[in-house]
Amino acid sequence: MTMAMRPSPRAIRLAMILLPSVVTLAALTATVMVALWLQEKSIRDATAERVQEVASSLAALPQVRASLASTVDAGTPGDLADAADLATATETLQPIADLVAQAAGVYYAVITDDEGVRITHPLASERGVQVSTTNESVLAGTPFLGTETGPSGRSLRAKVPVRGADGDVVGMVAVGVLESDIESERMEALTGLLPWAAGALVVATIASSLLTAAVERRFRRLDGLAAEHAQMQRTTAALQEQAHEFHTRLHVVHGLVTHGEPRAALDYIEDVVAVSDATPPDGRGGAGDGVPGTALREAAMHAVRADLLERGALAEFDVEPGVHVDDDVVSILTNLSRNAGEAGATRVRCTLRQSGDRLYGVVEDDGPGVDRHVAARIFTRGLSSKADTGGRGRGIGLDLVRRLVTARDGSVEVGASTLGGARFSFELEVRP
């Protein structure tokens, strides 16, 4: 099963910087869209209300009702009246329809007889022609409001029945506004809204830019703090490593002095701190002469024993005669042995062999061993299974061992020990 890709910190930071602008623009766009929708709905609702009122008012005029009552017998469903049959009514009603349409701002006001034949229409050719859209229900007495397509095009129209003095339907009035006119009105409203939207966009852009700049300043400040923190961590790590090595070297010096090798102890100190102006009383050279191999081997074993005794463990040594031991080898042995003691081992065995210009070593113990899930990362700096009770940092020793053997064209591996715990084996180049 593949793990989901996690966004990088850089991507998260970029998203947080751009988020205010995106949110602002999205909110503004949504606001404009809602405003346009409400504007269009308002225009359409107002137009529908207008055509209904005009149609109802026109249908209620006495002249309209009287003229339509006079045309009831002009035609029948089987023999519709024509323009000639309705000419008298057209002459009376067309001026009224034109005046009402012009005054109310509608495109047309059509009046029909009781069969739906047009008595009035803006186009003379349509007079005397039966309407092709909804008329049966209206002539039956039910008003209609909706959008239909007629000879003049698609329009929002209202149709109202006209009743005579006896209450019977004698015709109908249809009043409509072209959809193209509604669209023009909507575009006009949009034109009026655009300057406000543009102004809001400018203000929103400025506000989001200021907010983005503030977020970026905060990120830069955090970057500075992170850099300071990283530098402090590096300094702390260096001091921890130096303290680690200083502890080992004190044990070496102690071992040299304990074994009656004050001259070797002085030489070792001069090698470590590069004291070049110290001249021994017997006239021997200083740091350049180095520490005799036997003395340093004994001091290294003393350092390991002392370090393990502090942790309640015993050290065993199997060192081949003539093995060349230097400060790096002392550090490797001491750090590996200390790691075993800290892990809970009570017995630690150190083995050193030399073949040509290569030194081979093994440090194994009877402790709990190394978890196989941790083994691949055990030489990573800062990785440790022990709690840092002393506040001096953990995961330093094994990282130092790895760097020391690598610097001398070597390698270090971890495995299982015959003593029941962990086994660290290493090899490196012997320095002359």
Side-chain angles (χ1 to χ4, degrees):
M1 182 177 65
T2 57
M3 295 181 64
M5 294 291 292
R6 292 184 179 179
S8 65
R10 180 173 183 148
I12 294 175
R13 173 173 174 171
L14 181 61
M16 292 184 66
I17 291 175
L18 295 178
L19 185 61
S21 298
V22 173
V23 170
T24 301
L25 292 176
L28 178 61
T29 301
T31 301
V32 171
M33 295 300 293
V34 170
L36 288 176
W37 178 78
L38 291 175
Q39 187 73 27
E40 182 176 6
K41 185 175 184 300
S42 175
I43 292 172
R44 187 166 291 277
D45 290 346
T47 302
E49 184 177 354
R50 185 166 79 250
V51 295
Q52 281 182 309
E53 289 179 353
V54 173
S56 298
S57 300
L58 190 57
L61 288 177
Q63 299 95 319
V64 174
R65 295 174 64 188
S67 294
L68 290 180
S70 66
T71 64
V72 170
D73 297 328
T76 64
D79 183 17
L80 298 176
D82 57 18
D85 298 329
L86 302 173
T88 302
T90 300
E91 185 178 353
T92 302
L93 297 179
Q94 187 65 53
I96 297 175
D98 291 341
L99 179 63
V100 170
Q102 183 178 4
V106 297
Y107 181 72
Y108 63 80
V110 173
I111 303 173
T112 75
D113 66 3
D114 58 339
E115 274 85 36
V117 178
R118 299 185 187 95
I119 297 175
T120 69
H121 194 279
L123 301 176
S125 59
E126 295 297 325
R127 298 166 192 165
V129 179
Q130 189 179 40
V131 296
S132 58
T133 55
T134 304
N135 54 14
E136 291 87 355
S137 60
V138 180
L139 293 174
T142 303
F144 169 82
L145 175 66
T147 300
E148 293 180 331
T149 301
S152 302
R154 191 168 178 78
S155 62
L156 174 62
R157 59 186 66 175
K159 295 180 180 181
V160 177
V162 180
R163 298 183 182 276
D166 58 358
D168 292 337
V169 175
V170 294
M172 71 175 174
V173 173
V175 176
V177 175
L178 293 176
E179 286 289 340
S180 58
D181 292 340
I182 297 176
E183 178 65 18
S184 298
E185 190 174 352
R186 189 183 73 82
M187 292 303 297
E188 184 179 349
L190 174 61
T191 303
L193 181 63
L194 282 178
W196 293 97
L201 177 61
V202 171
V203 173
T205 301
I206 294 174
S208 63
S209 299
L210 293 175
L211 182 57
T212 299
V215 173
E216 178 62 22
R217 282 196 300 272
R218 177 61 61 87
F219 273 124
R220 285 199 297 268
R221 191 176 301 117
L222 291 176
D223 286 343
L225 292 174
E228 292 180 7
H229 180 66
Q231 181 59 41
M232 186 177 297
Q233 283 185 320
R234 287 192 293 270
T235 302
T236 302
L239 291 174
Q240 288 174 341
E241 188 171 302
Q242 289 176 10
H244 218 68
E245 287 305 284
F246 183 71
H247 185 265
T248 299
R249 284 165 176 160
L250 281 180
H251 277 302
V252 173
V253 173
H254 183 272
L256 290 170
V257 174
T258 301
H259 287 81
E261 296 284 352
R263 177 65 260 162
L266 288 174
D267 288 343
Y268 178 75
I269 293 172
E270 291 173 6
D271 280 341
V272 171
V273 299
V275 180
S276 59
D277 59 350
T279 303
D282 58 3
R284 290 175 54 198
D289 293 336
V291 182
T294 302
L296 190 54
R297 283 198 301 273
E298 293 298 325
M301 290 188 285
H302 175 85
V304 171
R305 285 193 185 96
D307 205 77
L308 288 175
L309 282 174
E310 291 180 4
R311 293 164 175 78
L314 297 177
E316 301 175 5
F317 294 94
D318 181 6
V319 181
E320 187 180 71
V323 169
H324 182 80
V325 176
D326 56 25
D327 191 44
D328 286 347
V329 177
V330 174
S331 293
I332 293 170
L333 288 177
T334 307
N335 279 291
L336 290 177
S337 300
R338 181 183 299 136
N339 181 76
E342 290 177 344
T346 60
R347 180 185 174 195
V348 180
R349 178 191 297 158
C350 301
T351 304
L352 287 178
R353 298 284 186 270
Q354 185 172 333
S355 177
D357 63 348
R358 304 296 291 181
L359 178 67
Y360 301 89
V362 175
V363 175
E364 51 188 337
D365 61 67
D366 63 349
V370 178
D371 191 307
R372 61 185 180 87
H373 298 293
V374 180
R377 300 179 291 118
I378 197 168
F379 296 102
T380 303
R381 186 178 188 87
L383 180 68
S384 177
S385 60
K386 284 87 72 176
D388 184 15
T389 56
R392 292 176 294 182
R394 285 292 188 185
I396 300 173
L398 294 182
D399 172 65
L400 178 60
V401 168
R402 176 189 58 80
R403 288 189 287 113
L404 287 174
V405 297
T406 302
R408 291 175 60 168
D409 192 26
S411 62
V412 59
E413 298 177 351
V414 61
S417 167
T418 56
L419 300 180
R423 181 181 188 272
F424 288 86
S425 57
F426 64 91
E427 65 161 314
L428 48 79
E429 183 182 24
V430 175
R431 286 181 178 171

